[in-house]
Amino acid sequence: MRLERLRFAALGPYAGEHLIDFELLGGSGLFIIEGPTGGGKSTILDAMVFALYGDVAGADADKQRLRSGFADASVESFAEVEFSTASGRYRVRRTPDFM
């Protein structure tokens, strides 16, 4: 499996919509997510895992942590990932429960 794009909104510290285009990072498929503590790195990983598997990583993890406390109540939280395998290209979009 090769990640192509990650699009998400109203998750963790990210109130708006964001797109990460992994195809722009080079042909090797390798990348690093780095930044200061509290910068939102774990939220990016949570968005990827939630989009792919419908859950967040970690035995004690709770999907309720996905919803951004900074987002307007009218903004939908979602995570959408595009990936490719030998059998084709796929897009999965999931929306966590929120009020």
Side-chain angles (χ1 to χ4, degrees):
M1 178 176 77
R2 183 179 181 91
L3 292 175
E4 307 291 348
R5 287 183 188 80
L6 174 67
R7 193 167 68 100
F8 60 93
L11 298 181
Y14 301 102
E17 185 173 319
H18 301 276
L19 171 70
I20 300 172
D21 190 340
F22 295 106
E23 291 181 302
L24 296 177
L25 298 177
S28 72
L30 298 175
F31 57 89
I32 186 169
I33 300 172
E34 71 90 24
T37 300
K41 300 177 299 292
S42 294
T43 301
I44 292 170
L45 296 174
D46 282 344
M48 278 192 263
V49 172
F50 179 68
L52 289 168
Y53 303 106
D55 210 346
V56 290
D60 297 331
D62 183 6
K63 284 188 279 192
Q64 298 295 58
R65 76 177 188 208
L66 288 172
R67 175 69 183 173
S68 176
F70 302 106
D72 186 83
S74 64
V75 176
E76 176 192 15
S77 291
F78 72 88
E80 180 180 282
V81 66
E82 291 180 44
F83 63 96
S84 58
T85 67
S87 60
R89 189 169 179 139
Y90 302 91
R91 181 181 328 153
V92 179
R93 179 184 172 112
R94 297 186 197 268
T95 302
D97 292 336
F98 67 94
M99 299 289 287

